[in-house]
Amino acid sequence: MARLFVHGGFPMSGRPVRSRDRFLVFGAPAVGEEEIAEVVATIRSGWLGTGPKVARFEEDFRRYRRAEHAVAVSSCTAALHLSLLAAGLRPGDEVITTPMTFCATVNAIIHAGGTPVLADVDPATMNLDPRKVEERLTSRTRAILPVHFAGRPCDLDALGGLAARHGLFLIEDCAHAIEAEYHGRPVGGFGRFGCFSFYVTKNVTTVEGGMVLARDEADAARIKMLALHGMSKDAWKRFSDEGYKHYYVVEAGFKYNMTDLQAAIGIHQLRRVEDYWRRRLEVWRRYDAAFADLPIGRPAPPEPHTRHGLHLYTILVDERTAGLSRDAFLAAMTAHNIGVGVHYLSVPEHPFYQQRFGWRPENTPNAMRIGRQTVSLPLSARLTDEDVTDVISAVRRCLGAA
Ligand SMILES: Cc1ncc(COP(=O)(O)O)c(C=O)c1O
């Protein structure tokens, strides 16, 4: 007789797809022996803080993204904050961004003294809709901050055109989009700054970490200086074998530097970035094929002449067609011992922004609907074929389609 188990109030028959002791952790990164050896060697070297490994990781990343300048920092949040400051944001300047993002995007604007303004997303791409951005322009608009959501490049022609016509600067949030390209060029190089994340669930991880790409040397130098207390150029070298150097504080900066311990991981992660991307493409294609007959939304195909970063595989669970709510689906997947994520509840769902800016989810309805229906399935390069089979079985069983 089939066993009945209940999780989160949702009754299910049969055994879970995986046992509890094999719980599939959402976003667990693929980390190899090289990273482990490099971390150990870095600890043994005695130089753990910002130093030569950070410089090498910056150079490797700069080449990979075919950029002019790359500055490593402690997170993408720091990268966004410093980029907005370095671009010269003034108090009260408005920055138009997307409600379909992590809170860090909006918080960075607030911390840089700006006023965030939300424009709704396109329902298919889930990226900022340039027409909605245009509707939100005012005399106070200073910048546009698009997010390449899930790894899908935004409509950079339209957004770049808007920015150029209205004298605005563009800062790209590339937290999901390390490998993404738009019309043959890597994303992150279209705006004045491109900001990347190496958080633990990202396509390349340093556990915590970020990178700023800049086209202008002076911009890159300012970011570097602001990331280390506002100390003058190359202050990190003050303890190196080049002999003690005095540094001078030229601005009240921040403590946003990356360490060699983090870069030790990043250097080897980056060497495998394309292999990981190809592995995620295989997983993506298996999901696409396995879910084609299910009553759920699947990611739209990539736009022509773009390369998707394949960071998040998101499905949409609409209770009216799927037969269960999104939250019941999340609970059911967890009961099958498959970790899932939500990227994201739209930003106006959070009380802080409602109170501070009077935002309401209904004002950006596409983002609201996506945020209430979306589920991210495991997509790490670490997944085995068997893991993928388990995810597929669990999704099908949760939807009564096994
Ligand atoms: C779209 C987006 N922007 C910014 C961030 C912030 O990145 P970090 O955690 O590196 O500060 C994240 C992180 O999850 C993100 O997903």
Side-chain angles (χ1 to χ4, degrees):
M1 199 180 74
R3 218 171 92 235
L4 197 74
F5 66 99
V6 177
H7 187 96
F10 188 73
M12 299 168 62
S13 59
R15 299 166 77 81
V17 163
R18 285 169 84 96
S19 57
R20 189 87 184 268
D21 58 340
R22 292 180 60 240
F23 185 85
L24 188 64
V25 177
F26 178 86
V31 178
E33 288 304 317
E34 293 93 338
E35 284 90 320
I36 295 167
E38 191 85 41
V39 166
V40 172
T42 307
I43 293 171
R44 292 217 164 100
S45 78
W47 192 295
L48 283 71
T50 304
K53 291 206 169 135
V54 170
R56 181 171 148 205
F57 184 48
E58 287 174 335
E59 178 57 14
D60 291 354
F61 196 82
R62 185 194 70 73
R63 280 173 192 259
Y64 175 61
R65 289 281 78 187
R66 309 202 294 273
E68 296 293 323
H69 305 279
V71 182
V73 288
S74 55
S75 68
C76 184
T77 309
L80 290 165
H81 184 196
L82 295 184
S83 296
L84 288 158
L85 292 176
L89 199 73
R90 292 175 308 235
D93 282 348
E94 291 178 357
V95 180
I96 301 178
T97 193
T98 168
M100 189 39 58
T101 188
F102 188 53
C103 57
T105 315
V106 174
N107 291 349
I109 297 169
I110 297 169
H111 293 315
T115 302
V117 172
L118 299 181
D120 206 359
V121 297
D122 176 280
T125 66
M126 305 184 184
N127 275 330
L128 260 184
D129 179 341
R131 287 164 309 180
K132 298 281 164 49
V133 173
E134 193 156 16
E135 284 169 21
R136 306 308 310 270
L137 291 171
T138 72
S139 57
R140 291 181 301 280
T141 310
R142 209 49 215 303
I144 306 174
L145 205 175
V147 175
H148 302 296
F149 179 74
R152 180 188 302 274
C154 290
D155 184 347
L156 285 164
D157 272 352
L159 294 173
L162 265 180
R165 278 200 303 286
H166 295 275
L168 312 173
F169 55 83
L170 191 71
I171 294 180
E172 296 170 71
D173 182 334
C174 309
H176 299 177
I178 289 175
E179 311 85 345
E181 294 183 5
Y182 180 82
H183 298 185
R185 283 170 55 202
V187 305
F190 288 78
R192 181 153 167 192
F193 295 105
C195 300
F196 294 79
S197 174
F198 309 121
Y199 176 62
V200 71
T201 58
K202 296 298 192 276
N203 296 351
V204 162
T205 187
T206 59
V207 185
E208 297 281 1
M211 190 77 76
V212 182
L213 295 185
R215 285 192 291 213
D216 190 272
E217 190 174 354
D219 274 348
R222 181 116 194 276
I223 297 275
K224 201 159 212 161
M225 183 265 295
L226 285 173
L228 198 62
H229 304 293
M231 300 195 307
S232 51
K233 199 165 176 279
D234 288 338
W236 64 268
K237 285 190 182 162
R238 66 193 181 283
F239 301 120
S240 77
D241 57 7
E242 292 173 21
Y244 189 84
K245 289 194 180 66
H246 290 291
Y247 59 84
Y248 294 95
V249 175
V250 292
E251 208 170 328
F254 302 84
K255 188 73 199 296
Y256 282 167
N257 53 309
M258 180 183 275
T259 67
D260 269 23
L261 210 51
Q262 293 163 301
I265 302 173
I267 287 163
H268 295 283
Q269 287 273 299
L270 192 59
R271 281 181 39 222
R272 276 186 243 112
V273 62
E274 289 295 311
D275 292 342
Y276 285 172
W277 183 86
R278 279 190 288 276
R279 173 60 186 152
R280 294 198 308 281
L281 183 61
E282 287 172 5
V283 176
W284 189 284
R285 286 182 172 155
R286 277 193 68 191
Y287 285 163
D288 259 353
F291 303 147
D293 62 327
L294 298 182
I296 53 173
R298 286 177 295 142
E303 287 66 44
H305 314 297
T306 67
R307 185 185 204 225
H308 198 299
L310 308 179
H311 177 55
L312 297 171
Y313 189 95
T314 60
I315 58 171
L316 295 176
V317 179
D318 179 347
E319 188 165 6
R320 290 165 304 181
T321 46
L324 81 173
S325 72
R326 187 273 303 275
D327 287 357
F329 181 88
L330 293 172
M333 288 294 285
T334 309
H336 280 296
N337 294 309
I338 305 284
V340 280
V342 172
H343 301 88
Y344 301 93
L345 280 183
S346 74
V347 173
E349 300 273 8
H350 298 288
F352 169 76
Y353 307 107
Q354 293 178 2
Q355 283 150 22
R356 172 92 174 251
F357 302 112
W359 291 346
R360 294 288 169 265
E362 298 74 20
N363 295 341
T364 42
N366 293 332
M368 176 182 76
R369 182 183 59 81
I370 294 164
R372 292 180 182 181
Q373 297 182 355
T374 191
V375 177
S376 301
L377 301 178
L379 187 63
S380 167
R382 178 189 170 110
L383 297 178
T384 64
D385 287 346
E386 189 193 350
D387 293 336
V388 178
T389 302
D390 286 349
V391 177
I392 290 169
S393 304
V395 168
R396 297 191 66 85
R397 280 186 46 194
C398 290
L399 293 161

